Amino acid sequence: MNILKVNGIDLAYDSYGNEADETILLIAGLGTQMIRWTVPFCEILAARGFRVIRFDNRDTGLSTHFNHYATLDFEALAKTLMSGLRPDIPYTLDDMADDAIGLLDALGIKKAHFVGRSMGGMIAQLAASRYPERVLSLTSIMSTTGNPELPPTSPEVMGLMTRPAPNPAENEAGYLAHSLAFAKRIAGTGYPFDENEYCSLIREEVQRAYDPGSVGRQIAAIAVSGDRRPYLEKINVPALIIHGMDDPMFVPACGEDTAQAISGAELMLLEGMGHELPPQLYQTIADGIERIARRRG
């Protein structure tokens, strides 16, 4: 694991594969760390002839946190957005897209294949639109466009995601139970959910960094980005949209809308997949990423 100064903040990253190969940049989702892109998944992509880089977005993991900002008031945020005003937030998705490009700059990488999951998909979309000269291909996984006409996430799922969790330092069992309840709810029906593996992952994240406020700050960044379809219409690189048919966070219509907004984009709908990447689908997803990465024009 390494840390580089990018856009005035620290970004933590690691790398797999041959540095001479084309780069795949993996961008994590809301409030999660780079380790959600598991080592086996990174190694599968590296074995296909890519240099694979995963990193902690700002405000997660071992990258710079913004916990000096006040805890987000969701009701106040909604009222500000409804009034047409811009809320005072520490950063936006545009800043996070700039981080991804800045990391490439710091590593001396001119171009890369951008792969993002959930919020990371939104960041990858913005990078592909705003920096077409730096993005070789785009794979947006279980993400969405911000189209206000799409079906929203259900209040039940949003409630599970945003309700306060016990402090893991004081009540690890309660924290794990809280995290498991949400993870099981957004998992698909087609693949077994490995509780032990998930608990190990959550413990590792807590050991790396625990910052309960980061989720709210990143939700604010997403909310302010609004409808990204005007950006998506500008994307002219090979693009693949991967979406789970069982996704309760962003329903399949969100993936379909993303594919429709990007000219020439491919859509891969996966039966039984929810808002996560089951290990049983690693090879299938890697097949798609590799296929779109090898496509030119």
Side-chain angles (χ1 to χ4, degrees):
M1 205 280 302
N2 308 280
I3 293 179
L4 285 173
K5 186 70 71 175
V6 175
N7 294 337
I9 63 171
D10 290 337
L11 288 186
Y13 76 97
D14 61 12
S15 178
Y16 298 81
N18 189 331
E19 292 188 7
D21 291 336
E22 285 189 349
T23 296
I24 289 177
L25 186 67
L26 300 175
I27 309 176
L30 173 68
T32 63
Q33 303 181 27
M34 68 181 188
I35 58 175
R36 294 290 179 111
W37 297 108
T38 64
V39 171
F41 183 73
C42 294
E43 290 177 340
I44 286 170
L45 290 173
R48 293 170 182 241
F50 296 99
R51 180 187 185 185
V52 180
I53 295 173
R54 59 180 187 169
F55 70 101
D56 286 325
N57 286 314
R58 60 169 62 198
D59 226 0
T60 59
L62 300 179
S63 292
T64 295
H65 285 248
F66 289 73
N67 47 17
H68 52 287
Y69 280 80
T71 301
L72 180 72
D73 182 331
F74 288 102
E75 186 175 345
L77 173 66
K79 286 181 178 178
T80 302
L81 291 171
M82 290 290 287
S83 69
L85 299 175
R86 185 180 180 86
D88 180 21
I89 59 175
Y91 53 84
T92 67
L93 291 186
D94 284 326
D95 294 321
M96 300 178 85
D98 291 345
D99 290 345
I101 296 298
L103 180 60
L104 296 184
D105 289 341
L107 292 170
I109 299 170
K110 293 182 178 179
K111 299 181 179 184
H113 302 281
F114 277 57
V115 178
R117 58 195 289 171
S118 196
M119 181 190 73
M122 304 173 196
I123 295 168
Q125 294 165 14
L126 289 172
S129 174
R130 295 176 52 222
Y131 298 97
E133 74 283 0
R134 306 297 301 277
V135 179
L136 290 167
S137 72
L138 165 68
T139 301
S140 178
I141 306 173
M142 56 189 185
S143 194
T144 188
T145 64
N147 178 353
E149 297 181 2
L150 287 168
T153 303
S154 74
E156 177 235 349
V157 172
M158 283 297 295
L160 281 173
M161 181 176 71
T162 58
R163 66 191 173 104
N167 186 324
E170 301 169 355
N171 183 2
E172 183 185 72
Y175 181 79
L176 289 175
H178 172 279
S179 301
L180 275 170
F182 178 61
K184 287 181 176 179
R185 178 62 183 87
I186 64 174
T189 60
Y191 302 93
F193 183 87
D194 190 330
E195 285 194 18
N196 291 332
E197 187 69 25
Y198 185 78
C199 285
S200 294
L201 176 65
I202 293 302
R203 287 191 182 98
E204 186 179 355
E205 281 194 330
V206 169
Q207 288 168 2
R208 294 180 85 239
Y210 175 63
D211 183 358
S214 65
V215 170
R217 293 187 291 271
Q218 292 187 348
I219 288 175
I222 293 170
V224 168
S225 76
D227 189 344
R228 289 177 301 281
R229 286 178 297 170
Y231 288 98
L232 302 187
E233 291 170 359
K234 299 175 183 178
I235 293 175
N236 58 10
V237 300
L240 172 66
I241 312 304
I242 300 176
H243 215 93
M245 292 295 290
D246 285 356
D247 193 333
M249 179 67 67
F250 298 130
V251 297
C254 296
E256 294 167 354
D257 193 56
T258 308
Q260 290 170 3
I262 301 173
S263 178
E266 295 182 26
L267 177 63
M268 179 190 291
L269 293 174
L270 296 175
E271 292 284 348
M273 177 174 135
H275 199 75
E276 34 69 69
L277 300 185
Q280 296 88 343
L281 287 175
Y282 282 179
Q283 294 288 352
T284 299
I285 292 169
D287 286 344
I289 293 171
E290 180 182 13
R291 184 179 69 254
I292 211 69
R294 302 295 185 200
R295 204 176 97 191
R296 291 291 184 263

